[in-house]
């Protein structure tokens, strides 16, 4: 039975920006419907409109019915009786979504008292039960703790406890796992599924991540520019996508198995409130015809419950004809004969404890890291937040004597550099940051941004304009963009500018700090293609830092997995992904949601989720750092267990003669 | 973008009012019928008339002329103090933020110290030895920079951690150039707004000092001394009091409107880079 | 929480000690009691003039030793400073405390109200009022209040509010209380009004920031109405930055007191210190500075304590 029915929903933000333009959505009880879309697709506006929480000034039209009762146009007081009781919401950012001033138990109890009219005492008891239910350890004590004392994953558990407190008939979850690490994401997705099973609620799961949808959703709705592009049962849509956008989007996704090199969709998703072309995807569509320019395509049925809003569904019968797979990258010569451009040995970086905590311990952000990058090669550095991967990059970039260990860049030991040598070396070592909006000075034009490295390193004044034009061309930007400010560029264009700036001085080693993490899926694929293309043409070596294992699989030749300040496993990408030797690598790979619904059955058979949170780098663990979370540890024999508890495992080759190393006592030598 | 900024109306109102007051103060004497220096022995505490638009004082001086003179003092002191104190605050705040470490701790201790020190009393004690004239400007400025300096420091710290500043540094851009190119431009709006608000604080301080007798000394005239002179007889001779207090209130109101409007107008910029 | 406050107390105390010393040195160096144009009063002890000639360091040492023993030295007239100080402190405190509490509370309430009714008529009226009030210096405000009171008295024919002088009637307990109230009303109102505007502006700003906060939206999502969500989940967060403003505004409040006493003829600390500066009475100025510095430090401490109570993140840092 349909619990939540949205019909012809329109949302317009002031002054006149349409965010949602005629959307239908039906969710049955006990069903999880995934709503996916890139930025500007209107997915968050949809969530807020359903809850009636749009900011003042936004206009809504259409119909939102919960169990047949219309919600749109009702007063705040009437809606307040529905919200939190029949209709609950889980927000994206658990860090700011809980009130910092009240204990979490009270915040959950408040929901119960508001709707169930329970006594203060009964509500509090129930809150503790709920906390226990969502897997918060020591619930009675945790109920009295404040939100800031919890990790992100734990706070999201609290949010879910709050959402299910009154057995709602529908839950809207807006990017509930976006801010979380993969291992924690897997826990939260499991919890959402459990919440659905327990309450029988209809769940709308809004996300940008096709993997998450494949993992938990029953049906999927793909949004594009505020309209439905395609919808249907997850299996059908993923196996036989019919809308060119869906085809391109699924093709853009990097895969863990590294099977094929996807072809990216050209261009960028339109910003919210873009021009209402008949079909918003028309400018990026490779198979569009005259029929697309007539009227907005109405969704048509192409299978059982599978609808697609395309004027010419016949053209998309064979997905490989829409976006043909790109030719495979040419095989590259093995890296071990090329000279190393970067060598890091036993690098240590501890930060002093924060002054606000009197008896704080130093933060051991990087605690003995050894790695090597050869010319023209990409080393992927993966790990969860706080594992120290970015600190490694920053230590290399400082080009200064590290606290311990040694860094050698292009054969020069950074501890012995003079100021002028250091400056000269900066030409060869460059960096691209995660968020291009913050890495480009908003008050400088693109031209000035690209000229800055040239001026700094005294390139002849007359040569600068030519070089700027060259750089723009190199990263695929039109010359006209040189006069824009970063604020007037799309995020993909901005990242191209950041890459061009890094390449201005023809470096030999580029450090990439999550360069595609803040980009939309379709743009991500373009930037990855660009980076690989530039590497092949210019012979660059990359250090590619990322939390996303699929992205690293696609970009890297070799990969190093970091955990709590140390590298636990490294080796050729194929070897590490194919046969991970360290239990952490294995757990990470298992936790990544795969954008293939049929993988779900495969997954259900084994222990996929890693317990607990990413570790606190200021609280060192004796012996193996991963031991407290290690799924293999309890099953080990007593002798090995004792070693895990006492000795920090050294990194040793997994198979003699290969370069796959793992730091685990369990690996047979 | 031509979108109407929220602070625009206030900014305009403040700017227009302030310009009018400036014009009146500096061009007024050309129009006014009575010269400030002369004493009219035929009129003591005379109500407003054609010869004395705002009447005369107890000693027969023309109130309008005195008021205009007082406005000139207030406006000049306000402007100079604001420029001086905001400039100093910017220098201190940026130095502390960029250098960090001991320099930072020392400078901020200095700022905190002056915040705890009863600054008005200190200024009052020191003012007479500086003659109450132009010497007042650096003295008032010396006690007005602390909060601004703290704000500048906080913002410099936040800007310093910004990715584009780090990117510039990793390109090999020198520290001075980083400050000039990437930090100062982003502080500009904060400094402009703050300078505007410091103008009103300076004017209030100056007139307060003068009111208590620590500021301008005769024959110099300030709105503060005029208010002090007119106070006792205010219920009986309201025009004397109104002529002195009115312009003061108007000046401060204009400056506050301007500063507040500027902040609203520039706030998106401030918000974006903080 | 305790350790946080203790650390803050230590920091504040060091600051206060240095500030007080600096204030003495400044006053001692700048004020010359025995020179024209401020001739020493007839009764001035010869000692005061003689000591003014001694080196600054020695005078400071003598003064500081005295202060540590609770002795603030003697006035130019040869009276002990301490006795008069405590008497006048009570007069000033009575005026300032009541005014500050009223102004602070009123300003916060009005600010929240204006923010909730943003851009509606009440907000516009409140905003216009605060702008005007901020532009009126205390000494003008006080005189205006006096004029208004005089008009009121004249219109009603009864002396409803006393617009000058300190309370001091002799008509029994009830009469004294009524008289005290009459005398207190106007100056307190002036002190309150001058601070109300400042707090109202700040509070409106921080409340507007909180209105759009994620956790207020969460509170609405769980079934609270917009107003309840703001009051129960937003207000506390909005009060946290106000505690910092409170510390900054403390100095301003003291200044308000100086002017208010001056206009209303209260014989409080403010009036005393102004007269002392004119006469060049170093010990009185230094003693008043001590009181002011201590008051500012106490206000800072109070604001820290308030922040501690309002924000659990200060009490228990994240693990």
């Amino acid at each position: 039975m349909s619990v939540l029915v949205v019909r012809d929903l329109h949302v317009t933000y002031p002054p006149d920006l349409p965010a949602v333009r005629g959307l239908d959505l039906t969710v049955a009880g006990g069903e999880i419907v995934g709503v996916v879309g890139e930025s500007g697709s209107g997915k968050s506006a949809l969530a807020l409109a359903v809850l009636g929480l749009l900011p003042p000034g936004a206009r809504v039209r259409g119909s939102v019915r919960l169990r047949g009762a219309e919600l749109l146009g009702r007063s705040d007081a009437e809606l307040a009786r529905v919200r939190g009781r029949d209709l609950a919401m889980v927000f994206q950012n658990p860090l700011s979504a809980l009130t910092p001033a009240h204990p979490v138990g009270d915040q959950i109890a408040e929901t119960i008292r508001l709707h169930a009219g329970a006594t203060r005492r009964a509500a509090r008891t129930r809150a503790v039960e709920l906390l226990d239910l969502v897997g918060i350890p020591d619930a009675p004590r945790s109920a009295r703790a404040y939100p800031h004392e919890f990790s992100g994953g734990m706070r999201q558990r609290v949010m879910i406890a709050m959402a299910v407190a009154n057995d709602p008939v529908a839950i809207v979850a807006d990017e509930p796992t976006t801010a979380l690490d993969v291992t924690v994401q897997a826990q939260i997705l499991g919890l959402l599924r459990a919440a659905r099973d327990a309450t029988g609620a209809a769940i709308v799961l809004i996300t940008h991540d096709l993997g998450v949808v494949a993992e938990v959703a029953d049906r999927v709705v793909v949004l594009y520019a505020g309209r439905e592009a395609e919808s249907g049962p997850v299996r059908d849509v993923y196996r036989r996508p019919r809308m060119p956008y869906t085809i391109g989007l699924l093709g853009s996704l990097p895969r863990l198995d590294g099977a094929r090199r996807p072809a990216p969709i050209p261009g960028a998703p339109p910003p919210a409130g873009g021009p209402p072309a008949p079909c918003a995807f028309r400018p990026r569509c490779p198979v569009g015809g005259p029929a697309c320019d007539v009227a907005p395509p109405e969704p048509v049925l192409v299978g059982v419950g599978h609808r697609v809003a395309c004027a010419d569904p016949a053209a998309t019968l064979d997905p490989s004809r829409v976006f043909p797979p790109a030719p495979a990258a040419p095989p590259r010569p093995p890296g071990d004969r090329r000279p190393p451009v970067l060598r890091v040995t036993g690098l240590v970086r501890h930060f002093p404890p924060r002054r606000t905590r009197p008896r704080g311990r130093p933060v051991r952000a990087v605690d003995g890291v050894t790695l090597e990058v050869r010319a023209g090669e990409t080393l992927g550095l993966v790990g969860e937040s706080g594992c120290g991967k970015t600190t490694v990059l920053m230590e290399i970039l400082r080009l200064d004597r590290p606290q311990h260990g040694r860094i050698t860049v292009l054969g020069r030991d950074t501890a012995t550099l003079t100021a002028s040598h250091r400056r000269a070396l900066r030409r060869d070592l460059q960096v691209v940051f995660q968020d291009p909006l913050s890495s480009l000075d908003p008050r400088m034009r693109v031209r000035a941004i690209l000229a800055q490295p040239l001026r700094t390193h005294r390139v002849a004044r007359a040569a600068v304009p030519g070089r700027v034009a060259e750089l723009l061309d190199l990263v695929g930007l039109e010359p006209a963009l040189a006069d824009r400010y970063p604020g007037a560029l799309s995020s993909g264009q901005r990242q191209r500018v950041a890459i061009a700036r890094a390449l201005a001085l023809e470096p030999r080693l580029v450090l990439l700090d999550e360069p595609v993490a803040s980009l939309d899926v379709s743009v991500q694929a373009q930037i990855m293609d660009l980076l690989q293309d530039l590497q092949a043409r210019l012979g660059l070596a990359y250090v590619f830092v990322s939390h996303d294992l699929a992205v690293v699989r696609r970009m890297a030749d070799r990969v190093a997995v970091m955990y709590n300040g140390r590298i636990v496993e490294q080796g050729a990408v194929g070897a590490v992904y194919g046969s991970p030797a360290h239990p952490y690598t294995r757990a990470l790979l298992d936790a990544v949601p795969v954008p293939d619904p049929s993988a779900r059955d495969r997954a259900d058979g084994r222990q996929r989720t890693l317990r607990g949170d990413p570790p606190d780098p200021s609280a060192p663990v004796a012996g193996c750092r991963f031991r407290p979370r290690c799924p293999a540890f309890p099953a080990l024999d007593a002798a090995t267990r004792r070693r895990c508890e006492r000795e920090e495992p050294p990194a040793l080759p997994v198979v003699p003669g290969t370069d796959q190393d793992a730091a685990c006592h369990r690996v047979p030598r | 973008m031509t979108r109407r900024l929220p602070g625009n109306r206030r900014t305009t109102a403040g700017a227009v009012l302030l310009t009018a007051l400036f014009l009146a103060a500096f061009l007024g004497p050309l129009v006014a019928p009575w010269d400030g220096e002369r004493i009219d022995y035929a009129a003591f505490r005379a109500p407003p008339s054609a010869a004395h638009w705002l009447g005369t004082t107890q000693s027969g001086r023309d109130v309008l002329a005195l008021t205009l003179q007082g406005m000139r003092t207030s406006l000049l002191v306000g402007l100079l103090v604001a420029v001086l104190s905001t400039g100093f605050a910017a220098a201190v705040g940026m130095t502390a933020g960029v250098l960090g470490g001991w320099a930072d701790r020392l400078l901020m201790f200095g700022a905190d110290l002056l915040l705890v020190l009863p600054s008005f009393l200190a200024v009052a004690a020191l003012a007479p030895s500086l003659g109450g004239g132009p010497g007042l400007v650096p003295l008032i400025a010396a006690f007005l920079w602390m909060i601004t300096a703290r704000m500048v420091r906080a913002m410099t710290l936040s800007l310093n951690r910004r990715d584009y500043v780090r990117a510039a540094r990793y390109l090999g851009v020198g520290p001075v150039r980083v400050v000039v190119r990437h930090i100062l431009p982003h502080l500009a709006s904060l400094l402009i707004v703050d300078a505007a608000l410091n103008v009103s604080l300076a004017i209030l301080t100056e007139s307060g000092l003068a009111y208590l007798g620590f500021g301008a000394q005769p024959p110099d005239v300030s709105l503060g001394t005029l208010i002090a002179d007119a106070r006792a007889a205010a219920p009986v001779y309201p025009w004397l009091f109104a002529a002195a207090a009115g312009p003061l209130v108007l000046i401060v109101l204009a400056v506050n409107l301007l500063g507040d409007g500027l902040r609203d107008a520039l706030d998106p910029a401030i918000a974006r880079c903080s | 929480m305790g350790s946080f406050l203790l650390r803050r107390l230590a920091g504040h105390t060091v600051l206060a000690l240095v500030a007080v010393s600096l204030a003495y040195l400044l006053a001692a160096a700048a004020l010359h009691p025995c020179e024209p144009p401020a001739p020493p009063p007839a009764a001035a002890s010869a000692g005061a003039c003689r000591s003014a000639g001694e080196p600054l360091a020695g005078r400071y040492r003598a003064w500081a030793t005295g202060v540590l023993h609770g002795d603030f030295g003697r006035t130019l007239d040869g009276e002990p400073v301490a006795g008069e100080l405590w008497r006048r402190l009570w007069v000033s405190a009575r005026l300032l405390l009541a005014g500050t509490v009223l102004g602070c509370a009123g300003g916060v309430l009005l600010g929240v109200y204006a923010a909730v009714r943003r851009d509606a008529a009440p907000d516009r009226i409140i905003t216009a009022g605060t702008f005007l009030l901020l532009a009126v210096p205390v000494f003008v405000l006080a005189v205006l209040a006096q004029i208004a009171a005089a008009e009121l008295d004249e219109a009603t024919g009864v002396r409803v509010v006393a617009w000058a002088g300190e309370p001091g009637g002799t008509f029994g307990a009830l009469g004294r209380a009524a008289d005290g109230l009459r005398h207190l009303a106007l100056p307190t109102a002036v002190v309150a009004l001058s601070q109300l505007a400042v707090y109202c502006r700040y509070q409106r700003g921080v409340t507007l920031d909180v209105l759009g906060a994620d956790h207020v939206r969460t509170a609405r999502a769980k079934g609270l109405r917009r107003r309840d969500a703001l009051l129960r989940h937003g207000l506390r967060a909005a009060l946290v930055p106000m505690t910092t403003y409170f510390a900054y505004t403390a100095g301003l409040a003291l200044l308000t007191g100086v002017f208010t006493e001056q206009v209303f003829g209260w014989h409080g600390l403010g009036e005393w210190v102004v007269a002392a500066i004119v006469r060049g009475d170093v010990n009185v100025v230094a003693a008043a500075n001590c009181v002011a510095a201590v008051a500012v430090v106490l206000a800072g401490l109070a604001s820290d304590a308030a922040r501690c109570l309002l924000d659990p993140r200060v009490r228990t840092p994240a693990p």
Side-chain angles (χ1 to χ4, degrees):
Chain A
M1 179 217 156
S2 298
V3 169
L4 181 68
V5 180
V6 175
R7 285 285 166 264
D8 196 31
L9 183 75
H10 291 255
V11 177
T12 309
Y13 283 127
D16 202 17
L17 298 171
V20 178
R21 303 189 278 198
L23 193 69
D24 292 349
L25 181 72
T26 308
V27 194
E31 186 186 36
I32 300 184
V33 172
V35 175
V36 281
E38 298 181 283
S39 56
S41 63
K43 54 191 193 300
S44 284
L46 165 69
L48 295 177
V50 168
L51 269 280
L53 291 177
L54 285 164
R59 280 169 296 157
V60 206
R61 141 170 97 76
S63 152
V64 175
R65 285 173 179 273
L66 186 70
R67 283 196 302 200
E70 179 65 47
L71 295 183
L72 286 192
R74 289 228 244 153
S75 73
D76 190 43
E78 287 172 316
L79 280 176
R81 280 196 286 278
V82 177
R83 287 194 291 246
R85 192 184 65 185
D86 300 329
L87 182 59
M89 179 145 184
V90 177
F91 289 99
Q92 169 173 4
N93 191 349
L95 299 177
S96 58
L98 292 167
T99 305
H102 301 296
V104 294
D106 289 3
Q107 298 194 42
I108 299 173
E110 185 182 25
T111 321
I112 301 165
R113 292 208 297 134
L114 268 173
H115 297 291
T119 63
R120 191 176 286 267
R121 204 189 162 83
R124 199 159 289 178
T125 315
R126 175 86 179 116
V128 172
E129 280 170 28
L130 282 164
L131 284 173
D132 192 49
L133 203 66
V134 296
I136 294 208
D138 196 3
R141 207 175 58 84
S142 297
R144 289 192 301 270
Y146 291 93
H148 72 275
E149 299 174 65
F150 289 90
S151 67
M154 288 296 162
R155 286 185 225 191
Q156 201 59 297
R157 286 172 190 267
V158 173
M159 280 297 288
I160 292 175
M162 206 185 280
V164 299
N166 292 310
D167 285 327
V169 292
I171 300 173
V172 178
D174 186 6
E175 302 266 14
T177 59
T178 303
L180 307 174
D181 282 310
V182 259
T183 56
V184 181
Q185 165 169 291
Q187 299 165 3
I188 297 296
L189 290 179
L191 186 59
L192 265 184
R193 217 180 302 150
R196 185 263 315 258
D197 295 342
T199 62
I203 295 184
V204 181
L205 175 65
I206 292 172
T207 176
H208 70 284
D209 189 332
L210 288 153
V212 166
V213 170
E215 196 89 344
V216 296
D218 304 306
R219 285 196 305 118
V220 60
V221 177
V222 181
L223 292 190
Y224 191 77
R227 288 175 64 96
E228 174 188 316
E230 183 160 3
S231 71
V234 168
R235 266 161 216 278
D236 295 346
V237 173
Y238 278 62
R239 202 169 300 155
R240 283 184 302 275
R242 293 296 296 279
M243 168 76 190
Y245 174 62
T246 321
I247 296 169
L249 203 58
L250 284 167
S252 302
L253 285 174
R255 306 267 167 162
L256 267 188
D257 53 14
R260 63 205 158 109
R261 186 185 153 111
I265 311 175
C279 173
F281 190 61
R282 175 78 176 91
R284 304 171 75 188
C285 185
V287 294
C292 302
D293 297 323
V294 180
E298 286 302 319
V300 290
L301 274 178
V302 291
V304 181
H306 185 174
R307 297 194 305 178
V308 57
C310 184
D312 186 11
T316 60
L317 266 173
D318 179 6
S320 63
R321 288 214 348 250
V322 179
F323 286 101
R332 297 207 278 152
D336 50 357
R337 255 167 269 141
R338 283 173 293 189
V341 288
L342 172 71
R343 188 172 266 159
V344 175
T345 334
L347 178 69
V348 169
R349 173 69 177 165
H350 293 181
F351 293 103
R354 278 198 319 210
R355 284 157 54 88
T356 48
R357 293 162 65 182
R359 282 175 296 282
R361 286 171 301 241
V363 178
R364 304 153 77 98
V366 176
D367 212 14
V369 160
T370 299
L371 49 85
E372 189 181 81
V373 183
R374 290 176 182 274
E377 169 191 84
T378 301
L379 173 75
L381 195 54
V382 290
E384 295 177 280
S385 59
C387 73
K389 50 192 195 300
T390 299
T391 312
V392 171
L393 278 202
M394 294 308 137
E395 283 299 295
I396 299 169
L397 278 168
R398 269 194 330 131
L399 289 181
D400 213 334
R401 181 189 295 276
Q403 284 173 343
H404 281 290
R406 172 188 287 206
I407 301 172
T408 313
V409 178
L410 297 165
R412 313 194 69 127
D413 186 340
T414 55
T416 62
L417 287 175
T418 63
S420 64
H421 283 142
R422 185 173 298 128
R423 206 174 134 85
L425 198 54
R426 294 220 178 275
R427 294 185 74 130
D428 290 314
L429 173 68
Q430 272 310 315
V431 60
V432 175
F433 290 106
Q434 168 176 0
D435 180 7
L437 186 59
S438 67
S439 69
L440 304 175
D441 190 333
R443 305 207 174 191
M444 284 167 78
R445 289 179 199 274
V446 170
R447 185 189 303 287
I449 290 170
L450 294 183
Q452 193 177 34
L454 305 171
R455 292 267 161 76
T456 305
H457 288 272
R458 315 222 184 283
V459 171
R461 195 163 278 265
V464 169
R467 179 70 183 141
V468 168
E470 233 173 76
L471 285 168
L472 285 172
D473 184 55
L474 188 67
V475 297
L477 290 175
E478 288 166 37
L481 296 180
D483 289 317
R484 295 235 189 127
Y485 287 99
L489 301 176
S490 72
S491 60
Q493 288 171 329
R494 281 183 211 132
Q495 197 60 299
R496 284 171 194 265
V497 173
I499 292 170
R501 175 176 60 184
L503 297 181
L505 296 163
E506 303 181 11
R508 290 159 66 189
L509 172 62
V510 181
L511 308 184
L512 304 159
D513 187 7
E514 304 261 13
V516 297
S518 65
L519 305 176
D520 278 319
V521 175
S522 62
V523 181
Q524 223 176 42
Q526 296 166 13
I527 297 294
M528 285 194 282
D529 272 4
L530 173 70
L531 286 170
Q532 282 185 325
D533 179 48
L534 290 168
Q535 180 171 44
R537 277 161 65 188
L538 307 174
L540 302 168
Y542 290 148
V543 177
F544 192 102
V545 165
S546 179
H547 69 281
D548 186 331
L549 282 100
V551 164
V552 168
R553 175 73 181 93
R554 188 183 147 182
M555 292 297 296
D557 302 302
R558 299 181 66 254
V559 60
V561 181
M562 269 190 93
Y563 187 80
N564 202 358
R566 286 180 83 99
I567 289 176
V568 294
E569 180 163 7
Q570 67 178 316
V573 168
V576 172
Y577 279 62
S579 52
H582 197 284
Y584 179 60
T585 316
R586 156 118 276 152
L588 266 187
L589 286 168
D590 283 351
V592 177
V594 182
D596 179 1
S598 54
R600 221 192 286 180
D601 311 329
R602 168 184 64 94
D604 286 341
R606 55 184 173 176
Q607 175 65 35
R608 288 177 54 95
T609 48
L610 204 54
R611 290 164 301 137
D613 287 316
D616 174 4
S618 65
V621 176
C624 175
R625 289 153 197 247
F626 184 57
R627 179 172 46 85
R629 295 177 80 194
C630 183
F633 177 73
L636 291 176
D637 60 87
T640 319
R641 276 223 298 254
R642 210 167 310 124
R643 287 182 73 201
C644 293
E645 280 162 3
R646 298 199 180 143
E647 296 168 40
E648 178 120 40
L652 292 171
V654 176
V655 184
T658 67
D659 76 338
Q660 186 180 0
D661 295 345
C664 179
H665 290 306
R666 208 186 48 137
V667 175
R669 308 291 177 196
Chain B
M1 256 212 305
T2 53
R3 192 167 58 90
R4 250 185 97 82
L5 293 163
N8 256 354
R9 223 170 32 190
R10 237 173 267 166
T11 317
T12 319
V16 167
L17 188 54
L18 198 60
T19 315
L21 288 165
F22 251 100
L23 289 178
F26 287 93
L27 299 182
L30 302 178
V31 191
W34 196 270
D35 177 13
E37 302 296 317
R38 275 167 52 208
I39 288 173
D40 188 347
Y41 293 102
F44 300 109
R45 274 199 179 148
S49 65
H52 304 286
W53 290 355
L54 291 178
T56 59
T57 68
Q58 197 170 4
S59 51
R61 295 181 77 182
D62 182 61
V63 174
L64 178 64
L66 286 176
T67 302
L68 293 180
Q69 198 186 336
M71 285 168 69
R72 285 197 294 277
T73 315
S74 286
L75 287 168
L76 280 180
V77 168
L79 270 186
L80 292 177
V81 167
V83 169
L84 208 63
S85 71
T86 306
F88 188 66
V92 170
M94 270 183 359
T95 313
V98 170
L99 292 184
W102 277 108
D104 178 24
R105 256 174 265 167
L106 197 71
L107 288 171
M108 285 308 111
F109 183 79
D112 286 344
L113 185 63
L114 287 190
L115 277 175
V116 173
L117 195 75
S119 53
F120 191 83
L121 293 186
V123 174
L126 290 172
S129 51
L130 288 169
L136 266 184
V137 169
L139 190 60
I140 298 177
F143 286 92
L144 269 187
W145 58 273
M146 294 86 70
I147 294 180
T148 314
R150 277 208 157 274
M151 277 160 48
V152 170
R153 171 181 170 273
M155 202 153 156
T156 306
L157 281 179
S158 126
L159 287 168
N160 222 359
R161 282 194 297 266
R162 218 46 68 75
D163 278 348
Y164 57 79
V165 174
R166 292 199 295 170
R169 219 172 275 135
Y170 295 141
L171 284 170
V173 179
V176 177
R177 185 107 189 100
V178 165
V179 168
V180 172
R181 196 80 177 90
H182 296 292
I183 293 184
L184 202 54
H186 295 270
L187 288 173
S189 46
L190 170 79
L191 293 178
I192 291 171
V193 169
D194 210 78
L197 297 176
N198 272 350
V199 170
S200 72
L201 272 179
I203 291 174
L204 286 175
T205 308
E206 188 274 334
S207 54
L209 282 173
Y211 176 83
L212 293 178
F214 301 125
Q217 304 294 332
D220 280 350
V221 171
S222 153
L223 291 177
T225 56
L226 293 177
I227 293 172
D229 292 343
R231 172 173 81 86
V236 196
Y237 303 102
W239 70 87
L240 284 177
F241 185 73
L248 182 60
V249 170
L250 281 183
I251 292 175
V252 176
L253 183 65
V255 173
N256 280 352
L257 283 173
L258 186 64
D260 203 81
L262 277 178
R263 181 177 43 217
D264 278 4
L266 297 174
D267 210 44
I270 294 175
R272 226 183 301 121
C273 57
S274 61
Chain C
M1 173 168 176
S3 74
F4 168 78
L5 280 183
L6 274 181
R7 259 180 299 129
R8 300 290 296 192
L9 178 63
H12 284 313
T13 311
V14 172
L15 262 183
L17 288 181
V18 181
V20 164
S21 303
L22 192 65
Y24 177 84
L25 293 174
L26 275 178
L31 300 177
H32 307 288
C34 303
E35 287 168 19
S45 62
C49 280
R50 206 172 39 248
S51 73
E54 287 172 21
L56 203 55
R59 281 155 65 198
Y60 168 68
R61 208 171 307 122
W63 175 80
T65 325
V67 168
L68 287 180
H69 294 98
D71 176 14
F72 286 92
R74 290 177 178 272
T75 65
L76 280 183
D77 307 320
E79 300 288 317
V81 170
E84 184 74 358
L85 185 70
W86 301 129
R87 197 190 68 73
R88 286 181 179 259
L89 182 61
W90 165 238
V91 174
S92 297
R94 201 167 32 167
L95 173 68
L96 275 181
L97 283 180
T100 303
V101 168
L102 279 177
C104 195
V108 166
L109 288 178
L110 271 183
V112 171
Y113 182 61
V116 175
R117 307 295 310 273
R118 183 183 192 176
D119 288 339
D123 178 31
R124 282 166 196 281
I125 293 168
I126 291 173
T127 301
T130 50
F131 261 105
L132 198 63
L133 211 49
L134 279 177
V136 181
V138 192
F139 46 89
V140 174
L141 188 65
V143 174
L144 288 178
Q146 280 185 332
I147 296 176
E151 295 282 322
L152 181 68
D153 287 352
E154 207 160 297
T156 54
V158 193
R159 202 155 169 239
V160 182
V161 280
W163 46 274
E166 275 182 78
T170 47
F171 312 105
L174 202 65
R176 254 206 309 283
D179 189 56
L181 219 59
R182 281 199 320 176
H183 279 90
L184 210 53
L186 209 53
T188 307
V190 168
V191 172
L193 272 180
S194 67
Q195 298 191 54
L196 179 130
V198 180
Y199 281 111
C200 180
R201 288 299 297 160
Y202 283 150
Q203 185 67 51
R204 179 179 179 273
V206 290
T207 309
L208 282 181
D209 289 344
V210 163
L211 275 179
D214 278 0
H215 61 261
V216 174
R217 197 175 59 181
T218 305
R220 292 183 65 200
K222 69 186 189 189
L224 284 168
R225 287 189 229 171
R226 187 168 171 273
R227 198 192 56 210
D228 294 338
L230 176 70
L231 292 181
R232 288 198 213 167
H233 291 266
L235 197 56
R236 201 149 146 185
L239 284 174
V240 173
M242 289 304 289
T243 60
T244 315
Y245 290 129
F246 177 75
Y248 279 138
T249 329
L252 194 78
L254 295 180
L255 204 55
T256 312
V258 171
F259 286 109
T260 314
E261 286 173 12
Q262 189 77 11
V263 172
F264 287 99
W266 279 48
H267 303 297
L269 270 183
E271 188 222 27
W272 198 33
V273 75
V274 168
I277 292 175
V278 174
R279 294 194 310 169
D281 198 336
V282 176
N283 281 346
V284 172
V285 175
N289 275 336
C290 285
V291 170
V294 168
V296 169
V297 166
L298 282 181
L301 220 62
S303 105
D304 286 339
R307 198 147 57 91
C308 245
L309 283 177
L310 289 171
D311 192 348
R313 283 168 295 189
V314 182
R315 284 194 300 253
T316 45

